[in-house]
């Protein structure tokens, strides 16, 4: 490699690293959400875009699930503030990498999970403040084998068509209350069963 090529490669890497540090550094309030705030340069763009979540509460459920499999051990240490906004900000500051998300093989959020106790010790699932509204982010969990939707989810929030992209899925359970009505649901279920997925919607 000639000197000019080496310089070009180094410059690209340096710019990428500066972008990474800048977009993952806490702001003046000490908060950041662990994902990119601007468009990353060059080949790193696709990787960082993949870490963005469409639903904040789905992300919270992922934090709990990752904690349960032995990662993020200190994530639920008692914070100094009791304010809901401050506790949510701490959770949003947790960086969820592709490597961590790939550890998840089971997704089954429940109102009694630690993440909800941390976010609001008084929350008893009596309101939908922490309910999942959409499950588009399942695409970020490529190794999921089991999904159970039975709590902390808004009515009709789960689109069954999303399961067709879950290549590792073996089992799906859901309360029909949480499944989005669609004329295509029966066909989707047939395709899943034909592909070896055990599906039960009660």
């Amino acid at each position: 490699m000639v000197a000019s090529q080496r310089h070009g490669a180094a410059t690209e890497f340096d710019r990428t690293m500066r972008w990474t540090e800048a977009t993952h550094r806490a702001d003046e309030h000490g908060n950041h959400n662990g994902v990119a705030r601007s468009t990353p340069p060059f080949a790193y763009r696709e990787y960082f875009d993949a870490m963005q979540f469409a639903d904040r509460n789905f992300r919270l459920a992922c934090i709990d699930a990752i904690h349960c499999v032995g990662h993020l051990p200190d994530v639920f240490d008692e914070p100094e503030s009791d304010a809901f906004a401050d506790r949510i900000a701490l959770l949003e500051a947790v960086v969820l990498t592709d490597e961590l998300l790939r550890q998840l093989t089971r997704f089954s959020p429940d109102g009694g999970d630690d993440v909800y106790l941390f976010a609001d010790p008084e929350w008893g699932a009596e309101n939908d403040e922490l309910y999942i509204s959409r499950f588009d982010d399942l695409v970020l969990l490529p190794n999921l084998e089991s999904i159970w939707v039975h709590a902390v989810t808004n009515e009709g929030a789960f689109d069954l068509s999303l399961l067709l992209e879950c290549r590792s899925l073996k089992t799906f359970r859901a309360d029909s209350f949480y499944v989005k009505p669609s004329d295509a649901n029966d066909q989707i279920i047939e395709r899943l069963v034909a592909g070896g997925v055990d599906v039960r919607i009660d």
Side-chain angles (χ1 to χ4, degrees), residues 48-95:
F48 281 103
D49 282 350
M51 299 304 100
Q52 298 186 53
F53 284 75
D55 188 287
R56 181 199 71 181
N57 294 335
F58 184 98
R59 188 177 190 277
L60 295 182
C62 286
I63 291 174
D64 191 274
I66 290 170
H67 175 73
C68 286
V69 296
H71 302 282
L72 306 175
D74 303 323
V75 69
F76 299 133
D77 285 355
E78 190 63 25
E80 296 180 2
S81 174
D82 289 331
F84 176 77
D86 292 340
R87 287 170 174 251
I88 288 295
L90 288 173
L91 292 171
E92 289 180 341
V94 176
V95 176

Side-chain angles (χ1 to χ4, degrees), residues 152-169:
V152 291
T153 300
N154 284 320
E155 180 179 1
F158 197 97
D159 184 344
L160 289 183
S161 67
L162 297 172
L163 296 176
L164 299 175
E165 301 302 320
C166 297
R167 305 302 184 187
S168 301
L169 190 64

Side-chain angles (χ1 to χ4, degrees), residues 159-161 163-164 184-193:
D159 184 344
L160 289 183
S161 67
L163 296 176
L164 299 175
N185 281 352
D186 287 343
Q187 294 180 347
I188 292 171
I189 292 172
E190 289 179 4
R191 288 180 60 184
L192 291 169
V193 172

